[in-house]
């Protein structure tokens, strides 16, 4: 087979390859779909998207959806939001939902909410269908010392104007919990809370707790109220126990001081006895010195001995008399 005979086949193959490359680089099918939907998109725009690393499907399909919903959204707006890292399809769905619900939501605000990391479609849906947030049991103590536990259900609606920069659900729950604790604490008795639990919701709702949050609180309902511990009695018991321990410690301190003082007195008595013994030991020496120096005669010494013997006899009689009295008392 000669080369001239192969030329038509080669030409057809080249044309097919060129067409395949063309259809791969230029989304002709997407362009046809846009024209069929009444959206004017040029081939050059699609090529420009490819060159700007924009996936045409992520822009054209939401554009077709917005056009069919009657929204005034342009291709450059969607493309710029895509290049900024936003979710174009979610923003368009949120705009359509807001348009159907007669909610004033512009593309710029929806794009800002999406870029802020919030789900703009969920926010629009929450604006139409409010969400119920249930708090855990919140414990408060009434003035009579009884603990009261309350569980609340908070009905909130998304506030589109405060979604960017507004606080989330955790802040709402914390503020409601603070209001519940404050209301229970201001009640004179726990019976008042049990008799009229809706006073908690009225008091908390009147505080304007949704200020600065991304939500608007529609209602606060008390779902359950339980009685907890008698905190006042527990505190009094703990205080009494602490006072008792302090009194015992002080008594033990006084006892230790008394024992120490007693031991000190015993030591002093022993010291005085030692001095007495020392002084008595000097008496014979003084008598001998008096006899040698002539200051004391023999008769004087004999009289001293008689007096000493008489004193010892009297002491012995006194001890015997005391022992007899003790035995009689027994």
């Amino acid at each position: 087979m000669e080369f001239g005979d192969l030329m038509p086949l080669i030409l057809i193959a080249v044309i097919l390859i060129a067409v395949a490359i063309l259809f791969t680089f230029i989304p002709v099918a997407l362009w046809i779909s846009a024209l069929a939907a009444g959206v004017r998109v040029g081939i050059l725009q699609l090529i420009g998207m490819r060159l700007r690393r924009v996936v045409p499907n992520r822009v054209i399909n939401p554009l077709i959806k917005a056009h069919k919903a009657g929204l005034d959204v342009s291709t450059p707006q969607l493309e710029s939001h895509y290049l900024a890292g936003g979710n174009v399809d979610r923003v368009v769905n949120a705009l359509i939902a807001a348009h159907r619900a007669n909610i004033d939501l512009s593309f710029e605000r929806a794009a800002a909410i999406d870029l802020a990391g919030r789900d703009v479609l969920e926010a629009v849906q929450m604006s139409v269908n409010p969400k119920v947030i249930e708090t855990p049991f919140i414990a408060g103590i009434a003035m009579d010392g009884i603990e009261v536990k309350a569980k609340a259900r908070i009905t909130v609606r998304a506030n589109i104007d405060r979604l960017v920069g507004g606080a989330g659900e955790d802040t709402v729950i914390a503020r409601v919990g603070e209001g519940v604790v404050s209301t229970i604490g201001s009640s004179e008795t726990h019976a008042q809370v049990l008799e009229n639990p809706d006073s908690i919701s009225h008091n908390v709702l009147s505080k304007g707790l949704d200020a600065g949050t991304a939500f608007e609180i529609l209602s606060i309902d008390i779902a359950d109220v339980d009685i907890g511990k008698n905190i006042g009695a527990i505190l009094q018991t703990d205080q009494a126990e602490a006072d008792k321990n302090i009194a015992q410690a002080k008594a033990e301190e006084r006892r230790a001081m008394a024992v120490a003082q007693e031991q000190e007195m015993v030591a002093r008595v022993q010291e005085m006895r030692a001095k007495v013994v020392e002084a008595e030991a000097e008496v014979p020496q003084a008598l001998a010195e008096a006899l040698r120096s002539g200051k004391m005669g023999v008769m004087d010494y004999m009289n001293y001995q008689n007096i000493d013997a008489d004193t010892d006899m009297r002491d012995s009689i006194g001890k015997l008399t005391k022992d007899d009295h003790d035995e009689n008392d027994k």
Side-chain angles (χ1 to χ4, degrees), residues 71 73 90-100 105-107 110 124:
L71 299 178
V73 179
R90 185 166 55 192
V91 170
V92 171
N93 290 337
L95 290 173
I96 294 173
H99 179 69
R100 293 288 188 269
L105 178 63
S106 63
F107 176 82
V124 173

Side-chain angles (χ1 to χ4, degrees), residues 39-41 45 49 59-60 63 73-80:
V39 178
R40 293 183 176 274
V41 179
Q45 284 183 305
M49 289 182 188
V59 175
I60 300 303
L63 183 63
V73 179
S74 63
T75 304
Q77 286 178 320
L78 299 180
E79 188 176 353
S80 64

Side-chain angles (χ1 to χ4, degrees), residues 87-259:
N87 192 324
V88 178
D89 191 62
R90 185 166 55 192
V91 170
V92 171
N93 290 337
L95 290 173
I96 294 173
H99 179 69
R100 293 288 188 269
N102 293 324
I103 298 175
D104 186 15
L105 178 63
S106 63
F107 176 82
E108 288 74 14
R109 180 168 293 278
I113 294 171
D114 184 62
L115 293 177
R118 294 186 180 273
D119 192 339
V120 61
L121 179 59
E122 182 183 357
V124 173
Q125 292 173 348
M126 193 183 299
S127 297
V128 178
N129 185 21
K131 181 180 180 181
V132 177
I133 304 173
E134 185 169 337
T135 66
F137 272 109
I138 303 169
I141 303 174
M143 291 184 180
D144 58 356
I146 305 298
E147 181 185 30
V148 180
K149 299 179 181 179
K151 180 184 290 186
R153 288 193 178 97
I154 313 166
T155 304
V156 297
R157 180 172 57 196
N159 192 323
I160 301 295
D161 296 332
R162 295 203 300 257
L163 273 178
V164 178
E169 294 183 9
D170 294 338
T171 301
V172 174
I173 294 175
R175 290 181 179 180
V176 171
E178 180 182 356
V180 170
V181 172
S182 176
T183 303
I184 295 175
S186 61
S187 301
E188 294 184 358
T189 62
H190 67 284
Q192 292 181 352
V193 181
L194 296 178
E195 292 173 359
N196 192 15
D198 59 344
S199 62
I200 300 177
S201 59
H202 292 322
N203 188 24
V204 174
L205 193 60
S206 63
K207 293 180 179 294
L209 303 178
D210 53 2
T213 66
F215 305 100
E216 177 185 353
I217 298 178
L218 300 179
S219 66
I220 299 175
D221 304 308
I222 303 301
D224 192 9
V225 178
D226 290 338
I227 298 298
K229 300 178 181 178
N230 191 338
I231 303 298
I234 294 175
L235 292 177
Q236 291 178 357
T237 302
D238 293 341
Q239 184 64 42
E241 185 69 22
D243 293 341
K244 185 188 74 172
N245 293 333
I246 293 173
Q248 288 179 346
K250 290 182 178 180
E252 183 65 23
E253 181 182 0
R254 291 193 297 269
R255 189 189 69 82
M257 291 178 63
V259 171

Side-chain angles (χ1 to χ4, degrees), residues 286-309:
L287 290 175
E289 181 64 25
L291 289 173
R292 281 194 298 269
S293 61
K295 294 180 180 180
M296 185 177 184
V298 176
M299 293 302 297
D300 294 330
Y301 179 72
M302 295 301 296
N303 290 332
Y304 168 75
Q305 290 292 333
N306 291 332
I307 293 172
D308 189 22

